[in-house]
Amino acid sequence: MPDAISLPIGRYRAWFLADAPVGFSEFPGSAWRGAFGHALKGAACATQEPRCETCMLYRSCAYPYLFETPPPPDAAKMRRYSAVPHPYVFDPLPPTAAGCALEFSLFGAANRHLALVVYALGRAGAGELGVAGNRLRLDRLERELGLGSGEWREVALPEGLAAVGMPSPPEIPGPLGAVEIAIETPLRLKREGKHVGPGVFAFADLFGNLLRRISMLTYFHTDTPLETDFRGLSDDARRVRAESALEWREQRRYSNRQRQAMRLGGVWGRMRLEGEDLTPFWPYLWLGQWTHAGTGATMGLGRYRLHAGAERGAVDV
């Protein structure tokens, strides 16, 4: 039997209007994340302390939880890390002549902060993201009715935000026989301290990262941490063979903190899994379409979609 993974995922889409065509860099997720963090701190910070770590509200404020995400003092995992996986992912949509849209996912307890997240996104669009004379105005918000359903319903602003509530853990469909994994944004993974290139990329690289990431998301952002045979699953994943058509693709972004342009490269393309029993891996593969995988997942990197065999279109089973 596949593992039961209890990870509530809220999927939302914020629409913005503009006075002129919107121009982003080739990596809009980075711009959204930076502007969101600045706006979120301005909206959530009550003390105006220069450093969150020394603030008396550090462990109760929504800003560090969402944007910096330190491990709790009593955490049994990742205690030596300054941050654990953040409870959100941004997926910017291509801009149009009228404006732009940002799809985003909130994981577990982060959904309780939906109103604050939406408010901060509205401030981000009207502030740092907008070029002088062309501010982005938050027009409407939608939420997906059932993860992966493709059915969206508008949420009234602002009064409708309080009624959204905590999403339930999604019902994961049964596995398919032949699956194609379409990697849509650069996927940055490491093996033995080095980035995994397209020539040596294996299914186990993707699955191992998904297993760790989803495990950490359930541990830090839900009340039901994942329990499974981690070693057994990892060993089994190394025996899965895939046909790959991958290449290395660079993604450029500008870091305001480091004040320099950066490149975030990763593998991009397709992997086909056929003739393999994917049952034990399927829940992770399916959820990974919304959690993303690898470095920079929060900004939109490591996004992939599952297709039935070689057919186009998202898996709908």
Side-chain angles (χ1 to χ4, degrees):
M1 293 289 293
D3 292 326
I5 304 172
S6 183
L7 179 61
I9 300 178
R11 186 74 174 163
Y12 310 96
R13 182 188 289 161
W15 293 89
F16 295 81
L17 298 178
D19 298 320
V22 178
F24 280 119
S25 68
E26 63 181 76
F27 189 14
S30 174
W32 271 111
R33 183 180 183 274
F36 168 71
H38 183 81
L40 180 66
K41 187 168 187 177
C45 181
T47 65
Q48 302 302 309
E49 289 285 338
R51 296 181 67 248
C52 290
E53 297 89 336
T54 58
C55 176
M56 65 184 299
L57 302 181
Y58 184 47
R59 296 294 178 179
S60 59
C61 178
Y63 170 76
Y65 168 68
L66 290 168
F67 199 74
E68 297 183 355
T69 323
D74 59 348
K77 299 181 179 181
M78 299 187 74
R79 287 177 296 181
R80 297 182 180 180
Y81 289 79
S82 60
V84 301
H86 306 301
Y88 70 93
V89 158
F90 286 164
D91 275 318
L93 299 180
T96 67
C100 61
L102 173 70
E103 290 186 0
F104 61 98
S105 298
L106 298 178
F107 307 127
N111 287 275
R112 299 192 181 101
H113 300 291
L114 174 62
L116 179 60
V117 169
V118 174
Y119 177 74
L121 288 174
R123 289 186 59 170
E128 292 185 12
L129 273 175
V131 179
N134 188 29
R135 302 302 184 189
L136 302 180
R137 302 183 302 280
L138 179 61
D139 178 57
R140 67 186 190 276
L141 178 76
E142 297 174 327
R143 67 181 176 97
E144 190 175 26
L145 305 180
L147 190 64
S149 68
E151 299 180 43
W152 297 80
R153 178 175 296 173
E154 186 170 351
V155 177
L157 295 177
E159 63 273 11
L161 290 171
V164 171
M166 175 69 72
S168 300
E171 293 186 11
I172 299 174
L176 300 174
V179 176
E180 190 170 80
I181 303 172
I183 303 172
E184 299 179 342
T185 57
L187 175 56
R188 293 169 57 82
L189 298 177
K190 285 186 176 182
R191 188 198 306 159
E192 298 178 353
K194 297 181 180 180
H195 284 110
V196 184
V200 296
F201 192 90
F203 173 77
D205 294 307
L206 172 61
F207 179 77
N209 183 271
L210 286 173
L211 181 60
R212 290 189 297 273
R213 177 164 172 74
I214 291 173
S215 171
M216 292 300 101
L217 288 174
T218 63
Y219 182 82
F220 290 107
H221 303 298
T222 79
D223 295 326
T224 52
L226 175 67
E227 294 184 3
T228 189
D229 179 7
F230 293 94
R231 177 171 294 182
L233 280 172
S234 299
D235 290 342
D236 291 343
R238 282 190 281 272
R239 290 189 282 269
V240 173
R241 296 291 176 260
E243 294 182 9
S244 300
L246 302 172
E247 62 183 61
W248 186 266
R249 176 164 292 191
E250 292 288 350
Q251 194 83 70
R252 295 178 179 85
R253 66 178 288 253
Y254 184 81
S255 172
N256 287 321
R257 186 180 64 179
Q258 301 183 36
R259 297 184 179 181
Q260 63 177 349
M262 303 177 64
R263 289 189 175 188
L264 295 176
V267 297
W268 175 89
R270 292 177 175 265
M271 297 179 66
R272 182 179 174 84
L273 305 172
E274 188 173 8
E276 300 280 354
D277 181 10
L278 300 179
T279 301
F281 315 114
W282 182 254
Y284 305 91
L285 284 176
W286 192 82
L287 286 173
Q289 295 177 102
W290 295 279
T291 66
H292 295 200
T295 305
T298 299
M299 298 181 285
L301 293 183
R303 184 183 72 227
Y304 68 85
R305 292 292 179 260
L306 301 178
H307 304 280
E311 296 177 0
R312 300 289 294 182
V315 171
D316 182 14
V317 291

